[in-house]
Amino acid sequence: MAGGVQRREAAAGKSYDVFHTDCPARDVVDHVTSRWGIWVLISLRSNSLRFYELRESIQGVSEKMLAQTLRALVQDGLVWREVEPTTPPQVTYGLTEFGRDVGEPLTELFDRITRRLSPHGAG
């Protein structure tokens, strides 16, 4: 399916097939749609946050899982990381242009779902 969603021409003319296990785009999709990746992108949609603020905004995520998720999203170019040389170091995260672009439909999906759900107890 050369014209399908799964096959795209990159800017440099390279073809990506997300159904192939070696496709680099597949890794990015896996990181974005991981259990915590979506919540990180949604949490950072309006402003940058320090690590502890991000952890507090995403209930249920452990420090270890948040750190792993952030490391993958930074490596993919979706999230930037800034370390302030203080004691202890203060680490801030935010969305790159790519991260905002990818996160926009996730935020829209989240908003659509929450609009359609009835409030607890109503009904």
Side-chain angles (χ1 to χ4, degrees), residues 17-48:
D17 182 355
V18 296
F19 290 107
H20 192 280
T21 57
D22 293 336
C23 180
R26 187 173 179 161
D27 288 337
V28 175
V29 170
D30 287 345
H31 296 154
V32 168
T33 60
S34 70
R35 179 171 184 186
W36 302 112
I38 291 172
W39 299 116
V40 168
L41 294 177
I42 290 173
S43 293
L44 293 173
R45 70 181 177 243
S46 41
N47 57 340
S48 57

Side-chain angles (χ1 to χ4, degrees), residues 28-45 69 73 78-79 95 98-115:
V28 175
V29 170
D30 287 345
H31 296 154
V32 168
T33 60
S34 70
R35 179 171 184 186
W36 302 112
I38 291 172
W39 299 116
V40 168
L41 294 177
I42 290 173
S43 293
L44 293 173
R45 70 181 177 243
T69 301
L73 295 174
L78 296 162
V79 171
L95 294 180
F98 182 33
R100 284 190 301 276
D101 190 39
V102 169
E104 189 175 319
L106 296 175
T107 298
E108 186 178 319
L109 175 65
F110 175 79
D111 290 345
R112 284 180 185 210
I113 290 169
T114 55
R115 278 196 307 268

